[in-house]
Amino acid sequence: MRSCATAGVVALHRTLRKALRSFSAPSSCAFLGPNLPDVWVPREHTSPHTLFPESLQWANGYSAVILEGKPIAKQMKVQVADEIRKMKSVIGKFPRLAVVLVGDRRDSHTFIHIKLKACGQVGIETVVSQLPEKCDESELLDVVSGLNEDPDVHGIVVQLPLPQHLDEEKIINVVSPEKDVDGFHPLNMGSLAIRGRKPFSVPCAPKGCIELLLRHGVEIKGKRAVIIGRSKIAGLPTSLLLQRHHATVSMLHAYTKNPEEITSEADIVVADVGIPNIVRGNWLKKGAVVIDMGTNQVKDPSGHGFCVSGDVCFEEAVKVASAITPVPGGIGPVTISMLLSNTLDSAKRAFGMIETDVEFSVLGLYSYSKCTP
């Protein structure tokens, strides 16, 4: 459901979809792979904020480009599906993703449904292991260990959050790093933090954040970036990715003094705190690029049910920013497609089709030169 705060504004921006498609990268150099470079070199055919003609502006005077994720996610799905079809035709195998769900949280069921649907669309087989809310930790550990040992499973997702009586970190640590398509295992997170090391998988939402910036020609190298929030799912790995691309990164949290002042100096602002509209327009520098990772349910102003809001006050930020993601429809769709990409990469490693110690992207951004025949 489209955010009640952004629906009217985003509707005016639909004409930009055609421009995005016409300036899309060719399939041979399309998307960010799991093993990231220490230096990002912008694509030759793009430059900062030149993917959209100057004539395409907001009807009410706003000039912010809306960084919609759906067109990018759709193209990624097409390419992942094509890779899987080739895999089946050449070696007769395909990726399989295992999802572990504990309890009956409504939001967790919703997220899993979205993931399973996306997998089905591209040809990734799925299996769901569901445990009761009050299951013992040993039961959950046994399920994860069994999936680690199953050669037919190439990716494992433990749906978070877990019930409070379960040690989330302990469970994540048990997942095989090679099958950790969420990218949360300490080995993967640590490899992401150390220059020159290559994680098996990069967390999906941060990876989607960088992909949106790259696809829209936003310059990262040398820019000042502020991350609001330091969660292991989004804030922390996003800061590590931006540092990989040579941004100067500041991370804000609950104990940060004067967050508005720090944010107002940033060229790139990423919000991930789970508080609706905490980032106001007066927090932003004129021309900043804003990535809103927040997804919050708030009461609809009309009094009928709920709508979805981000961490950024969209209606204020769109008047100041040069580019901004909507909620929903921004990071979310690309995050799901990154999960598909990670799962495909994991399957290719399992089948010996790619080496784990080289920079490689199944979707073509980096070299195929060390692929096995």
Side-chain angles (χ1 to χ4, degrees):
M1 180 171 54
R2 175 70 65 183
S3 165
C4 54
T6 66
V9 182
V10 173
L12 299 173
H13 196 72
R14 296 303 184 193
T15 53
L16 286 176
R17 285 181 180 272
K18 186 175 181 181
L20 173 61
R21 294 191 187 101
S22 66
F23 284 89
S24 293
S27 59
S28 62
C29 59
F31 301 112
L32 182 69
N35 296 323
L36 303 177
D38 290 319
V39 177
W40 172 60
V41 179
R43 298 182 178 91
E44 292 181 359
H45 63 285
T46 64
S47 58
H49 297 291
T50 59
L51 292 181
F52 300 95
E54 291 182 0
S55 59
L56 292 176
Q57 304 245 332
W58 293 94
N60 55 4
Y62 301 157
S63 59
V65 169
I66 303 302
L67 306 178
E68 292 206 60
K70 288 183 180 179
I72 296 173
K74 182 178 180 180
Q75 187 178 359
M76 290 185 67
K77 286 181 179 178
V78 169
Q79 292 193 261
V80 169
D82 184 59
E83 289 284 340
I84 292 174
R85 282 193 295 270
K86 291 177 181 177
M87 177 186 290
K88 288 180 179 179
S89 66
V90 173
I91 63 174
K93 297 180 179 181
F94 50 85
R96 180 178 283 111
L97 175 68
V99 179
V100 181
L101 172 65
V102 181
D104 294 305
R105 283 180 59 113
R106 187 174 180 178
D107 57 347
S108 291
H109 277 273
T110 299
F111 291 138
I112 287 178
H113 173 74
I114 293 171
K115 293 172 184 177
L116 297 182
K117 181 180 178 181
C119 287
Q121 290 172 341
V122 300
I124 295 175
E125 186 171 298
T126 56
V127 56
V128 179
S129 298
Q130 185 168 0
L131 287 79
E133 179 83 18
K134 296 183 179 180
C135 72
D136 293 334
E137 192 170 85
S138 60
E139 293 181 69
L140 179 54
L141 290 171
D142 287 344
V143 168
V144 174
S145 296
L147 295 172
N148 285 340
E149 297 169 4
D150 186 343
D152 292 327
V153 171
H154 311 110
I156 300 172
V157 169
V158 178
Q159 187 63 42
L160 303 178
L162 295 173
Q164 291 186 353
H165 71 282
L166 299 174
D167 187 338
E168 205 169 85
E169 289 301 321
K170 185 176 182 180
I171 303 303
I172 290 174
N173 292 353
V174 170
V175 177
S176 167
E178 291 91 344
K179 297 185 179 185
D180 169 36
V181 289
D182 270 335
F184 297 155
H185 191 281
L187 179 62
N188 287 322
M189 199 71 77
S191 295
L192 184 60
I194 301 175
R195 182 175 178 180
R197 295 193 180 182
K198 308 295 188 291
F200 290 107
S201 292
V202 173
C204 301
K207 191 176 176 184
C209 169
I210 299 298
E211 182 62 28
L212 273 173
L213 295 174
L214 296 179
R215 282 292 305 273
H216 287 274
V218 177
E219 186 177 3
I220 302 175
K221 185 177 181 180
K223 298 300 182 180
R224 303 188 69 171
V226 163
I227 314 297
I228 307 173
R230 53 180 174 179
S231 73
K232 66 176 177 288
I233 294 175
L236 176 59
T238 300
S239 73
L240 298 175
L241 283 174
L242 287 169
Q243 289 180 73
R244 283 267 186 145
H245 291 278
H246 300 298
T248 301
V249 180
S250 298
M251 183 173 288
L252 311 189
H253 47 76
Y255 298 96
T256 300
K257 296 180 179 179
N258 302 319
E260 301 95 330
E261 294 182 15
I262 299 172
T263 305
S264 67
E265 297 177 353
D267 304 300
I268 300 170
V269 176
V270 180
D272 171 45
V273 287
I275 301 175
N277 301 320
I278 188 174
V279 180
R280 315 298 299 196
N282 60 6
W283 286 36
L284 304 173
K285 180 172 76 171
K286 182 69 175 177
V289 175
V290 180
I291 305 294
D292 192 346
M293 291 186 171
T295 305
N296 312 291
Q297 278 199 344
V298 298
K299 288 186 177 181
D300 194 310
S302 67
H304 300 288
F306 293 85
C307 61
V308 179
S309 173
D311 292 344
V312 179
C313 182
F314 184 90
E315 291 181 329
E316 293 180 4
V318 75
K319 300 175 184 179
V320 183
S322 61
I324 185 171
T325 57
V327 176
I331 286 291
V334 185
T335 297
I336 296 299
S337 291
M338 289 301 179
L339 175 64
L340 306 179
S341 173
N342 283 354
T343 303
L344 177 56
D345 282 337
S346 184
K348 285 204 166 190
R349 284 194 299 269
F351 299 149
M353 300 179 71
I354 62 175
E355 299 179 22
T356 59
D357 59 346
V358 296
E359 290 183 2
F360 175 85
S361 166
V362 302
L363 297 176
L365 186 56
Y366 302 116
S367 174
Y368 278 75
S369 61
K370 294 191 178 182
C371 295
T372 55

